[in-house]
Amino acid sequence: DLAEAGQGVKLLSYTLRQVLTKLGHEVSLNLAYDASVRGGTISADLIYSSRLIENPVIDEADILIKFTRTRDWFPAKTLVIDESMCREESLSCSIQSNKGTMYGFEDVAVSLFGSKLYINMIALGRILRYIGINILLLNIKDLLPERAIEKNLEAIKYGFSYRDDV
């Protein structure tokens, strides 16, 4: 799995890593920061397996969740991009994967949860659904920061229950 955006990607990635580790998977998480001190982007590459991970390098992601335009398109089997980044005419948002969806992460986060900070928790719910992890069988609440825990949980559940063609 691969995600790219700001500080929220760290929370999304760390939480996903904790969920997968709790379920007994081996997990490799690599975070890459751009040169900006404030307002920069973070890319997260996460690999998980039931076996030992010998080479934590991704040639093609199973899922790429993309919130920003900063990185070139990374090869992915499934691509989910925030449609808000496609509002500029100069940006090409052609889906370059076997499967792909455009999703209004930012629009949903603001309209349903009152802040775009919840983009990452909505995305986490979608990722957990894509990889077949039933959030009802986990106590995700224990893995989330205390601040805004109920809204974060609600956003994860929303992302998990959203249906699309993937």
Side-chain angles (χ1 to χ4, degrees), residues 79-143:
L79 177 62
V80 179
I81 59 175
D82 187 354
E83 62 191 22
S84 69
M85 60 181 249
C86 296
R87 292 185 181 137
E88 295 178 24
E89 284 184 35
S90 61
L91 178 68
S92 170
C93 279
S94 57
I95 306 272
Q96 299 172 5
S97 68
N98 298 335
K99 295 181 181 178
T101 59
M102 301 265 287
Y103 184 73
F105 287 105
E106 185 175 329
D107 295 341
V108 170
V110 170
S111 65
L112 294 182
F113 300 100
S115 171
K116 64 182 184 176
L117 293 175
Y118 297 99
I119 290 171
N120 296 289
M121 293 298 100
I122 295 168
L124 176 59
R126 288 182 57 117
I127 291 169
L128 291 171
R129 177 179 159 79
Y130 285 152
I131 63 177
I133 294 176
N134 188 343
I135 62 171
L136 301 175
L137 303 177
L138 296 171
N139 193 359
I140 289 183
K141 196 172 189 175
D142 291 345
L143 306 176

Side-chain angles (χ1 to χ4, degrees), residues 4-5 34 41-43 66 68-72 85:
E4 182 178 283
D34 71 6
T41 59
I42 298 172
S43 297
K66 193 164 178 59
T68 65
R69 300 181 297 272
T70 56
R71 190 186 210 184
D72 289 334
M85 60 181 249

Side-chain angles (χ1 to χ4, degrees), residues 25-39:
H25 293 286
E26 293 288 323
V27 180
S28 170
L29 174 60
N30 180 35
L31 297 174
Y33 301 80
D34 71 6
S36 296
V37 175
R38 305 231 358 114

Side-chain angles (χ1 to χ4, degrees), residues 52-64:
L52 184 64
I53 298 169
E54 293 182 20
N55 184 7
V57 176
I58 299 173
D59 293 321
E60 179 183 45
D62 289 321
I63 303 166
L64 169 62

